[in-house]
Amino acid sequence: MKKLINDPQEVVDESVAGFGLAHADLVSINSDPLFVTRKERPAKPKVGLVSGGGSGHEPLHAGFVGLGMLDAAVPGPVFTSPTPDAIIPATQAADSGAGVVHIVKNYTGDVLNFETAAEMAAAEGIEIRTVLVNDDVAVEDSLYTAGRRGVAGTVLVEKIAGAAAERGDDLDAVAAVGQRVNDNVRTMGVALSACTVPHAGVPSFELADDEIEIGIGIHGEPGRHKIAMEPADGITDRLLEPILAELKLAAGDKVLLFVNGMGGTPLSELYIVYRHAVQVVEATGATVERNLVGNYITALEMQGCSISVLKLDAEMIELWDAPVNTPALRWGV
Amino acid sequence: MKKLINDPQEVVDESVAGFGLAHADLVSINSDPLFVTRKERPAKPKVGLVSGGGSGHEPLHAGFVGLGMLDAAVPGPVFTSPTPDAIIPATQAADSGAGVVHIVKNYTGDVLNFETAAEMAAAEGIEIRTVLVNDDVAVEDSLYTAGRRGVAGTVLVEKIAGAAAERGDDLDAVAAVGQRVNDNVRTMGVALSACTVPHAGVPSFELADDEIEIGIGIHGEPGRHKIAMEPADGITDRLLEPILAELKLAAGDKVLLFVNGMGGTPLSELYIVYRHAVQVVEATGATVERNLVGNYITALEMQGCSISVLKLDAEMIELWDAPVNTPALRWGV
Amino acid sequence: MAELNTLNNEWVLTWLRRSAEVVARHKSELSELDRLIGDGDHGENLDRGFSAVLAKLDAEPPATPGDALKLVAMTLMSKVGGAAGPLYGTAYLRAATAVGGTLELDAPLLAVMLTAARDGLVARGKAEPRDKTMVDAWTPAVDAAAASVAAGAHPTEVLAAAAAAAEQGAEDTIPLVAHKGRASYLGERSAGHKDPGAASSALLLRAAADTAAGYGAEEAQQ
Amino acid sequence: MAELNTLNNEWVLTWLRRSAEVVARHKSELSELDRLIGDGDHGENLDRGFSAVLAKLDAEPPATPGDALKLVAMTLMSKVGGAAGPLYGTAYLRAATAVGGTLELDAPLLAVMLTAARDGLVARGKAEPRDKTMVDAWTPAVDAAAASVAAGAHPTEVLAAAAAAAEQGAEDTIPLVAHKGRASYLGERSAGHKDPGAASSALLLRAAADTAAGYGAEEAQQ
Ligand SMILES: Nc1ncnc2c1ncn2[C@@H]1O[C@H](COP(=O)(O)OP(=O)(O)O)[C@@H](O)[C@H]1O
Ligand SMILES: Nc1ncnc2c1ncn2[C@@H]1O[C@H](COP(=O)(O)OP(=O)(O)O)[C@@H](O)[C@H]1O
Ligand SMILES: [Mg+2]
Ligand SMILES: [Mg+2]
Ligand SMILES: [Mg+2]
Ligand SMILES: [Mg+2]
């Protein structure tokens, strides 16, 4: 394992500290317990948005703190959800009197810790809604599992719900639009290599030189099955198949197509995937109205990508286009 | 070698095609010969900015085509400079009557091909200036080498010269400010792993599990020497040492600090490097006024980073802050 | 100690210290189990929690078993994170509630305490038996403890029975397909590996039994 | 052919086809040399260029040696890229200029042609002898050709002398430290490897000599 780190135990603290220095115009860092908030508190009360989870997915979540997106982010240790003692003060910091929405990726650890924190914050008088993101179609049978994982769709939920909060929607409305995004987005991922958690020091799973792992999550956990390496177009077909089977797109539908890098794959390859994905999606008669291509929710240095398709409605498009000013996503300002 | 590609020979064409689809609001693709231009031609004549070079450094250069930065980019094959037959029409497309600045990274191939193209474009009546970027302090002895390489400083030259062109500076002024940026920026890089050129299929150099390569360029060429793996802070010290030795910063100096990822290193690690780099740079008495942290000029999936320090003057700060709207860099719009 | 009818606060404190020591010693092993069917952090997570427990015990040792268990609950809840943090946190919290202010824990109360802990786990995590989670160590442990109490056993024997059953329960998770937690994403591929949470649960219960039996008590107290 | 006093357009066309075939055959070898001290694309680059040359020769074979060499120059210039594209492009362009409209190339003109090519390389790339570049294959080749002409040799002998000298020159780059091109960034570490451009130059000159000597002419024409 070779990484640009010092003490493996200090990875998250040092990285967030560097992040805070680089984006001091946008964010503030609270170091103990660790959470990130917007630099400026809102002039008038607005719904606060808080997300968080294990670290190792950068720029998620701290990179999305700022105007039009999150009010606070809570980074846990690498791939380990944060604890209530950090989520609670982050929630308090994000509350300007209009309540707070927790955006939680559906992993047992995240769910349990956010649940505990939400109970305790509610006990202190903050109104909380939770949007549970579970867009990962790789998890087929949610009756027999912890349910679908929350993966790349999270970024879209944070952007669109964030824009709703920014324009002044109330707590239930912000949660509702976040939920609507989640209900309309499906994601599937592939890994060409594993990643190595700093304190573990060994790769999270083994892959032969001619194998890839289909249906991975974002925590270096193995996927549903291994297959032999294939050309990018074939992999793209495989990822889109279960997504399209669920979304049942038809002529006239508008979608946002999101090709997300897992951290170790060059941007050029993501565009190769995007190119074919557009062809496949548009063959259903739908049109790709918006897109996002890049490393937005990663698994350390894993090589691979995920594809997400979000079925858009007019309001989602408007909220997607609304100004955003965060370290990792910025337009309109 | 596992990559999200189809035919290795089609990597650049397919990737640029996907890029064009994803950013159709900002850029147009000319596919044969291959070059990328801004979607909209300027309303009134302005100095055109053209850059290019081998592919594999994405988002450079095509990702920087747009308002406030480049007018055209010419992607060559992976790590191989493009040829005059593509550079010439890109130059013509970028010319709106006020002349064109070529921003060329100092590699023999780029220099010779851009030189030939510039001669031929000049013969067709376009006024050309060339800014040769050579910021890489890893190349110690330019008397006995092809001279310092052009690396991450290129992004800063493109941004600042691009802003000068956008505000209406004339050809000589745009070239002059680009040259001034080059003269005041120094860069040094490190690789933790090599990268694999698609058609080669084998890594560009060998590194043992406990070795890193100091003073690398951006083409997967080996660096000046290998050393044993070290903590991030030690590596950061090593990269900054020759940079600071040359820049001779003093109290009151203002700098832009740029930590650039080589493609395969997670953002979180770049922030760890950034954190310590700020400490080291500010220990000279200078202040870090602006920064950039991320994957902007890469070497495929190489793991590692480069650090650049640009000594700023007031005009450079103003031009850095000016609006930019490109696929890879965007603010103020 | 083996002949005592009750266990006291000193037993609890020694148990907790021994737990911290055992977790530290088995950290890599637990993380390796988790790497195979999860995300490889279970040992690291628990060790972070129990190191913090140890620091707090050193700073100000709680005066009653209930306070000690509550301290563990709050510390694990705020330091462990992941799935295991809230689950163990809830278990120790329910255990603390079950013992209340009692200073001397007799055999029936120990069984009640273990049952409360298990019920807390289930309430929080909604896992059923054979879902391949820590519940599969706790449920046989609780059953064995109850049977042992019914047979009139001493506290030390009750804990020994619980520990042995937990160890067996953890072994028995090997062939199971996970239906909860991260391992469930692997589907059939989760079979063939021991559940890390069940393994750590067995270690913690074994630490309780060993402490009661007085094995290596001096080392653990160092 | 070995006894002829001049070489004609057919020789040029056959040489160029053979060049394409030789480059294709040695593509990986050239790229591997380049991987060791450069960026691993030299074989790929040249092959892309000479494949395009072949396609153009097939489409419309030029009528004179000068036109053929010019076609190569323009094609390499626009297809090869990298350092080698403009360098070889300039070399073939100067060679074309040197032969002008001549249809039959005698020994002195061949030496002049090779000299012009080498001078073009040097003018464009500014490399000096022993900088570890293709110039280190061309300069001995040019010298050998001149000596051979002075000794009254036939064209075939002149080319054979040039090819042998280029091969030796390429070998002799092995101990050199590069001062030009990408390899120069390696400093002392560039010593111990053959320069890829010198190696490809030797192959191209050997193809010229072999074509003149008639070796394997049928295969090359297939
Ligand atoms: N719903 C659940 N109920 C009970 N135990 C669970 C549940 N989900 C996970 N676990 C336990 O948690 C363990 C994993 O803990 P840990 O690795 O610390 O957290 P994470 O999975 O968040 O990384 C599993 O081995 C399993 O025993
Ligand atoms: N300035 C120069 N003069 C002459 N030959 C050069 C010069 N620079 C590089 N070369 C030659 O070019 C060869 C490399 O070509 P190639 O690999 O195709 O281009 P690049 O280095 O751009 O990848 C070197 O082996 C060397 O022989
Ligand atoms: Mg975890
Ligand atoms: Mg090259
Ligand atoms: Mg785990
Ligand atoms: Mg090369």
Side-chain angles (χ1 to χ4, degrees):
Chain A
M1 176 193 69
K2 281 185 286 186
K3 289 176 180 285
L4 288 170
I5 62 172
N6 297 301
D7 180 348
Q9 304 296 339
E10 302 296 326
V11 162
V12 174
D13 284 347
E14 290 185 3
S15 176
V16 175
F19 169 83
L21 287 172
H23 305 291
D25 52 331
L26 295 174
V27 301
S28 303
I29 309 297
N30 191 85
S31 51
D32 192 17
L34 186 65
F35 60 90
V36 178
T37 57
R38 288 196 202 179
K39 184 97 192 160
E40 318 277 349
R41 287 183 57 92
K44 48 180 192 167
K46 70 173 267 297
V47 171
L49 253 71
V50 177
S51 193
S55 291
H57 308 302
E58 290 67 28
L60 188 90
H61 296 273
F64 301 125
V65 171
L67 180 94
M69 233 166 145
L70 300 179
D71 294 275
V74 195
V78 175
F79 291 172
T80 297
S81 70
T83 51
D85 64 319
I87 302 170
I88 294 163
T91 302
Q92 288 166 331
D95 179 40
S96 56
V100 171
V101 175
H102 281 174
I103 298 175
V104 182
K105 303 193 293 306
N106 188 34
Y107 291 92
T108 308
D110 293 86
V111 171
L112 297 182
N113 285 286
F114 269 91
E115 210 172 81
T116 308
E119 282 169 21
M120 295 171 80
E124 308 215 348
I126 303 179
E127 257 204 292
I128 308 276
R129 297 287 178 278
T130 296
V131 176
L132 198 65
V133 184
N134 61 346
D135 54 322
D136 184 8
V137 294
V139 180
E140 285 159 18
D141 210 340
S142 49
L143 255 186
Y144 298 105
T145 63
R148 288 179 163 179
R149 295 173 288 208
V151 286
T154 312
V155 177
L156 311 182
V157 173
E158 293 179 0
K159 169 67 184 84
I160 291 175
E166 209 67 52
R167 76 174 174 193
D169 286 13
D170 70 19
L171 185 61
D172 284 321
V174 172
V177 77
Q179 187 62 49
R180 203 159 86 236
V181 173
N182 181 61
D183 294 345
N184 285 283
V185 63
R186 298 289 186 283
T187 300
M188 179 94 175
V190 61
L192 276 60
S193 71
C195 56
T196 301
V197 175
H199 58 243
V202 288
S204 52
F205 53 85
E206 277 107 39
L207 268 183
D209 272 358
D210 56 355
E211 280 177 347
I212 59 178
E213 186 92 34
I214 295 280
I216 49 137
I218 51 170
H219 296 89
E221 65 269 44
R224 196 92 185 169
H225 53 279
K226 291 190 212 295
I227 61 164
M229 181 61 195
E230 284 189 346
D233 288 356
I235 294 172
T236 303
D237 290 338
R238 263 179 213 279
L239 297 183
L240 279 170
E241 201 212 289
I243 295 173
L244 297 180
E246 291 225 359
L247 284 181
K248 299 194 184 25
L249 299 178
D253 283 342
K254 295 175 174 177
V255 306
L256 185 156
L257 178 57
F258 176 17
V259 175
N260 174 61
M262 289 292 159
T265 281
L267 193 51
S268 50
E269 296 180 23
L270 302 181
Y271 283 122
I272 290 176
V273 171
Y274 180 75
R275 172 183 162 278
H276 187 61
V278 170
Q279 296 166 349
V280 176
V281 168
E282 298 206 330
T284 65
T287 55
V288 175
E289 287 287 318
R290 296 292 184 274
N291 71 80
L292 194 62
V293 182
N295 291 302
Y296 292 100
I297 165 166
T298 59
L300 296 170
E301 72 287 355
M302 182 183 275
Q303 292 186 320
C305 72
S306 65
I307 302 181
S308 304
V309 180
L310 166 62
K311 201 160 147 182
L312 292 164
D313 57 36
E315 188 187 22
M316 287 188 218
I317 295 180
E318 187 189 321
L319 293 169
W320 178 258
D321 291 344
V324 59
N325 188 6
T326 69
L329 213 59
R330 179 166 180 174
W331 56 72
V333 268
Chain B
M1 177 193 69
K2 281 186 284 186
K3 289 175 180 284
L4 288 170
I5 62 173
N6 298 299
D7 180 348
Q9 305 295 338
E10 301 297 326
V11 161
V12 174
D13 285 348
E14 291 185 3
S15 176
V16 175
F19 169 83
L21 287 171
H23 305 290
D25 52 330
L26 295 174
V27 302
S28 304
I29 309 297
N30 190 86
S31 51
D32 191 18
L34 187 66
F35 60 89
V36 178
T37 57
R38 288 195 202 180
K39 184 97 190 160
E40 317 278 349
R41 286 183 58 91
K44 47 178 194 169
K46 69 173 268 298
V47 172
L49 253 71
V50 177
S51 193
S55 292
H57 309 301
E58 289 69 25
L60 188 89
H61 295 275
F64 300 125
V65 171
L67 180 94
M69 234 167 144
L70 300 179
D71 294 275
V74 195
V78 175
F79 292 171
T80 297
S81 70
T83 50
D85 65 320
I87 302 170
I88 294 163
T91 302
Q92 288 166 332
D95 179 40
S96 55
V100 171
V101 175
H102 281 174
I103 298 175
V104 182
K105 303 193 293 304
N106 188 34
Y107 291 94
T108 308
D110 293 84
V111 171
L112 297 181
N113 284 286
F114 269 92
E115 207 172 82
T116 308
E119 282 168 24
M120 296 171 78
E124 308 215 348
I126 303 179
E127 257 205 291
I128 309 276
R129 297 287 179 280
T130 297
V131 176
L132 197 65
V133 184
N134 62 346
D135 54 322
D136 184 7
V137 293
V139 180
E140 285 160 17
D141 208 339
S142 50
L143 254 186
Y144 298 104
T145 63
R148 288 180 164 178
R149 296 173 288 208
V151 286
T154 311
V155 177
L156 312 183
V157 173
E158 292 180 0
K159 169 67 185 85
I160 291 175
E166 209 67 52
R167 75 175 175 191
D169 285 14
D170 70 18
L171 185 61
D172 285 321
V174 172
V177 76
Q179 188 62 49
R180 205 160 83 237
V181 172
N182 181 63
D183 294 346
N184 285 283
V185 63
R186 297 290 186 282
T187 299
M188 179 94 173
V190 62
L192 276 59
S193 71
C195 56
T196 300
V197 175
H199 60 243
V202 287
S204 52
F205 54 84
E206 277 106 41
L207 269 183
D209 272 359
D210 56 353
E211 281 177 346
I212 59 178
E213 185 91 35
I214 294 279
I216 49 138
I218 52 170
H219 295 88
E221 65 268 45
R224 195 93 184 170
H225 54 278
K226 293 190 211 295
I227 61 164
M229 182 61 195
E230 283 188 348
D233 287 356
I235 294 172
T236 303
D237 289 338
R238 262 179 214 279
L239 297 183
L240 279 170
E241 200 212 290
I243 294 173
L244 296 180
E246 291 226 357
L247 284 181
K248 301 193 181 29
L249 299 178
D253 282 343
K254 295 174 176 180
V255 306
L256 185 155
L257 177 58
F258 176 17
V259 176
N260 174 60
M262 290 293 161
T265 282
L267 193 52
S268 49
E269 296 180 23
L270 302 182
Y271 283 123
I272 290 177
V273 171
Y274 180 76
R275 172 183 162 278
H276 186 61
V278 170
Q279 296 166 349
V280 176
V281 168
E282 297 205 330
T284 65
T287 55
V288 176
E289 286 288 318
R290 295 293 183 274
N291 71 80
L292 194 62
V293 182
N295 291 300
Y296 292 99
I297 166 167
T298 58
L300 295 170
E301 72 287 355
M302 182 183 275
Q303 293 186 319
C305 72
S306 64
I307 302 180
S308 305
V309 180
L310 166 62
K311 201 160 150 181
L312 292 163
D313 57 37
E315 187 186 22
M316 287 189 219
I317 295 180
E318 187 188 322
L319 292 169
W320 178 258
D321 290 343
V324 59
N325 188 5
T326 68
L329 214 60
R330 180 166 179 174
W331 56 72
V333 268
Chain C
M1 272 199 222
E3 297 305 312
L4 293 178
N5 276 324
T6 59
L7 296 174
N8 59 13
N9 194 41
E10 194 197 326
W11 167 75
V12 174
L13 296 182
T14 312
W15 168 34
L16 297 177
R17 289 176 172 282
R18 189 194 288 261
S19 299
E21 186 249 327
V22 164
V23 164
R25 190 141 39 82
H26 291 83
K27 177 168 87 166
S28 320
E29 188 187 315
L30 292 171
S31 286
E32 176 61 15
L33 289 177
D34 194 31
R35 191 180 72 86
L36 293 168
I37 57 169
D39 60 351
D41 60 1
H42 186 60
E44 200 66 36
N45 291 347
L46 267 195
D47 185 50
R48 188 171 51 242
F50 273 101
S51 304
V53 166
L54 210 54
K56 292 198 188 169
L57 292 180
D58 285 343
E60 202 183 326
T64 71
D67 285 349
L69 293 169
K70 196 164 167 197
L71 177 147
V72 177
M74 299 318 286
T75 309
L76 297 187
M77 195 90 90
S78 77
K79 291 291 168 203
V80 175
L87 288 167
Y88 275 128
T90 307
Y92 283 92
L93 199 61
R94 295 284 183 97
T97 310
V99 304
T102 317
L103 292 176
E104 298 285 333
L105 315 180
D106 62 10
L109 185 53
L110 284 171
V112 165
M113 176 188 90
L114 294 178
T115 308
R118 191 271 316 267
D119 291 351
L121 281 181
V122 171
R124 189 100 231 161
K126 314 264 175 344
E128 306 198 351
R130 303 183 60 77
D131 276 356
K132 195 175 183 121
T133 69
M134 46 178 75
V135 170
D136 294 322
W138 282 88
T139 292
V142 163
D143 293 347
S148 180
V149 168
H154 286 284
T156 305
E157 292 160 343
V158 170
L159 292 173
E167 283 162 353
Q168 186 58 48
E171 286 303 315
D172 292 346
T173 62
I174 295 177
L176 299 177
V177 172
H179 292 158
K180 278 282 182 290
R182 272 178 214 292
S184 69
Y185 304 128
L186 286 183
E188 303 290 330
R189 288 163 81 188
S190 62
H193 302 283
K194 195 196 285 194
D195 176 63
S200 62
S201 297
L203 291 174
L204 297 173
L205 290 172
R206 171 57 63 200
D210 283 357
T211 305
Y215 295 142
E218 304 80 39
E219 294 92 297
Q221 276 177 325
Q222 277 178 357
Chain D
M1 271 199 222
E3 297 305 311
L4 295 177
N5 276 324
T6 59
L7 296 174
N8 59 15
N9 193 40
E10 195 197 322
W11 167 74
V12 174
L13 296 181
T14 312
W15 168 34
L16 296 177
R17 289 178 170 281
R18 188 194 289 262
S19 298
E21 186 250 330
V22 164
V23 164
R25 190 142 38 83
H26 291 83
K27 178 168 85 167
S28 320
E29 187 187 316
L30 293 171
S31 286
E32 175 62 15
L33 289 178
D34 194 31
R35 191 180 70 86
L36 293 168
I37 57 170
D39 60 351
D41 60 1
H42 186 60
E44 200 66 37
N45 291 348
L46 267 195
D47 186 49
R48 188 170 52 242
F50 272 101
S51 305
V53 167
L54 210 53
K56 292 197 186 170
L57 293 180
D58 284 344
E60 202 183 324
T64 70
D67 286 348
L69 292 168
K70 198 166 165 193
L71 178 148
V72 178
M74 299 318 286
T75 309
L76 297 187
M77 196 90 91
S78 77
K79 292 291 169 202
V80 175
L87 288 167
Y88 274 128
T90 306
Y92 283 92
L93 198 61
R94 296 284 182 97
T97 311
V99 304
T102 317
L103 292 176
E104 299 285 332
L105 315 180
D106 62 11
L109 186 53
L110 284 171
V112 166
M113 177 189 90
L114 295 178
T115 308
R118 192 271 316 266
D119 291 350
L121 281 182
V122 172
R124 188 102 230 159
K126 315 265 173 350
E128 306 197 351
R130 305 183 60 77
D131 276 356
K132 194 174 185 122
T133 69
M134 46 178 76
V135 169
D136 295 320
W138 283 88
T139 292
V142 163
D143 293 346
S148 180
V149 168
H154 287 283
T156 306
E157 292 159 344
V158 170
L159 292 173
E167 283 162 353
Q168 186 58 50
E171 286 304 315
D172 292 346
T173 62
I174 294 178
L176 299 177
V177 172
H179 292 157
K180 279 279 181 291
R182 273 178 213 292
S184 69
Y185 303 129
L186 285 183
E188 303 290 329
R189 287 164 81 188
S190 62
H193 302 282
K194 195 196 285 194
D195 176 62
S200 63
S201 297
L203 291 174
L204 296 172
L205 289 171
R206 171 57 63 198
D210 282 357
T211 306
Y215 296 142
E218 303 81 40
E219 295 92 296
Q221 275 176 328
Q222 280 177 356

